[in-house]
Amino acid sequence: MAVIAIIGAGLAGLAAACELSAAGHRVTLFEKSRGVGGRAATRRVEGVRFDHGLQYVKSPTAAIADLLQASGGAIDIGRPVWIFDQAGHVQPGDPELNAEPKWTWPDGVTALAKYLAQGLDVRFEATVTAIRTMAEGGYGIDLAGAERPIAAEAVLLTAPAAQSAAILRAGDLPNRRLTELTTALDGVMYRRCISLTMAFANRPQVPWYALVNIDRGHAISWLACEHDKPGRAAESLGLMTAQMADSWSVANWESMVRGQFAPDSLPEPAQNVPALIEALSGQSLGAPLWVNVQRWRYALPDNGLDADALNAAGDGIYLAGDMAAGQGRAHLAIESGWHTARLMIEHLR
């Protein structure tokens, strides 16, 4: 049995922890926030629930389908995703892609993360600052505010690439290995996203569940009818989530603070977003009742790294997650966690 530290309790870290624990290893996850799941995040506000990061989970493989079934309560949204361009022209999406189920949960996508986390040792509000080599072998995990490092025989980093690189740079890995890892991590580029969820007294009657911008030329990259998901809002309420494009999010990052806002106190950059939503839906919705603002600095990776090559060193330092998949897809993050955990099990033998 080995002692293993996993940095980050997103879907990749949780999936890896489940696999490693099942193989008999002692695993601890260090999560800097107060909850599991990363972008698989659900908020509860004024009697409604909404997903402000990950929108749903697809199940292209039997293993992912089995996991979703085991989690309990997974429901197919059952409505299509359409597309739109810079000019706001809306048209039906790919029928083949739309035929695939889009899984969600009445309690939100965070239900999947909570299912994976059952029985795991997750330490919340635990910020890892560095990984150090130990004279007796293995690694020491430095935590902010802790007096001494926590020993581990192997470490799996699943935090976003920039955060993982900073942790490694603060430690004392051999120069060649440090350069190899941080060069790869520095090469992963992410899009930022400010997510705006708005409640309207009127519910739009549209033939789609969500719209996705296909040319990255619109201020909105994703617009979803959260009220289409079961258990989210009263039947009369329109609940819309607009995930803003990277260019818009970067330009307005500092002025768009996270929180809950009344329409008359909404930060200035977002004041025209209800009009953009109306234009895309083709319907008058009126002023929003309230607006929730969330920010994702590392929302979607535009590229990935060669995790298999980096993890082949067998020195006890491993990488997994979105930065390995190169796409912000839940099932890919989970599969990355499983795949890396199995490699670790082989090495630890």
Side-chain angles (χ1 to χ4, degrees):
M1 179 186 75
V3 177
I4 299 170
I6 297 180
I7 301 172
L11 293 178
L14 293 169
C18 290
E19 198 81 4
L20 291 162
S21 296
H25 297 292
R26 196 173 115 205
V27 182
T28 301
L29 296 103
F30 298 94
E31 171 54 49
K32 70 175 186 175
S33 73
R34 293 179 292 176
V36 295
R39 287 195 311 110
T42 305
R43 295 281 293 174
R44 290 167 175 79
V45 173
E46 308 221 3
V48 305
R49 294 184 180 91
F50 54 89
D51 302 318
H52 56 86
L54 173 70
Q55 296 290 284
Y56 56 78
V57 182
K58 287 198 169 185
S59 54
T61 66
I64 294 292
D66 289 346
L67 170 64
L68 301 188
Q69 183 177 20
S71 72
I75 300 172
D76 181 9
I77 296 170
R79 300 242 291 151
V81 174
W82 284 23
I83 60 176
F84 69 100
D85 61 16
Q86 180 177 5
H89 296 137
V90 176
Q91 58 185 316
D94 186 314
E96 189 173 332
L97 291 176
N98 274 316
E100 300 174 1
K102 305 170 187 68
W103 298 106
T104 189
W105 291 257
D107 287 340
V109 292
T110 190
L112 177 59
K114 290 178 178 178
Y115 169 76
L116 287 168
Q118 291 181 101
L120 297 178
D121 179 11
V122 185
R123 304 195 185 178
F124 296 108
E125 298 183 279
T127 300
V128 176
T129 57
I131 300 170
R132 305 191 182 281
T133 56
M134 304 289 277
E136 61 273 24
Y139 298 96
I141 311 300
D142 285 356
L143 292 179
E147 293 184 2
R148 58 180 61 88
I150 296 171
E153 293 169 55
V155 182
L156 171 59
L157 296 100
T158 68
Q163 295 175 348
S164 294
I167 290 168
L168 292 172
R169 285 194 172 95
D172 62 354
L173 291 184
N175 286 339
R176 183 173 179 179
R177 178 64 166 154
L178 178 62
T179 299
E180 176 188 44
L181 290 167
T182 55
T183 298
L185 290 165
D186 289 345
V188 180
M189 300 291 105
Y190 289 84
R191 282 173 274 158
R192 293 192 192 189
C193 175
I194 295 175
S195 183
L196 305 174
T197 299
M198 303 188 179
F200 295 92
N202 301 315
R203 179 173 290 192
Q205 302 302 311
V206 291
W208 40 265
Y209 144 66
L211 300 175
V212 61
N213 179 223
I214 56 171
D215 57 13
R216 298 192 185 182
H218 199 278
I220 294 176
S221 64
W222 172 268
L223 178 64
C225 298
E226 276 291 303
H227 53 259
D228 276 354
K229 298 175 180 177
R232 299 310 178 90
E235 289 187 8
S236 61
L237 193 70
L239 194 61
M240 308 294 291
T241 293
Q243 295 190 332
M244 307 307 291
D246 174 72
S247 56
W248 191 98
S249 298
V250 170
N252 299 297
W253 190 258
E254 296 303 327
S255 56
M256 291 296 297
V257 295
R258 186 177 67 176
Q260 189 81 0
F261 298 91
D264 58 359
S265 63
L266 189 61
E268 189 276 331
Q271 290 175 10
N272 71 329
V273 175
L276 295 176
I277 293 174
E278 284 193 342
L280 289 172
S281 68
Q283 298 177 34
S284 177
L285 300 175
L289 305 175
W290 50 261
V291 179
N292 185 272
V293 179
Q294 299 292 328
R295 305 193 308 174
W296 298 101
R297 183 179 293 272
Y298 304 107
L300 299 168
D302 263 336
N303 62 313
L305 45 74
D306 188 347
D308 281 348
L310 295 166
N311 292 338
D315 63 349
I317 299 293
Y318 299 87
L319 305 174
D322 278 355
M323 58 190 172
Q327 299 179 59
R329 299 287 185 270
H331 67 276
L332 294 178
I334 293 167
E335 289 171 342
S336 172
W338 284 341
H339 176 74
T340 306
R342 289 163 190 157
L343 177 65
M344 295 172 71
I345 291 166
E346 285 298 315
H347 286 177
L348 290 166
R349 284 177 183 159

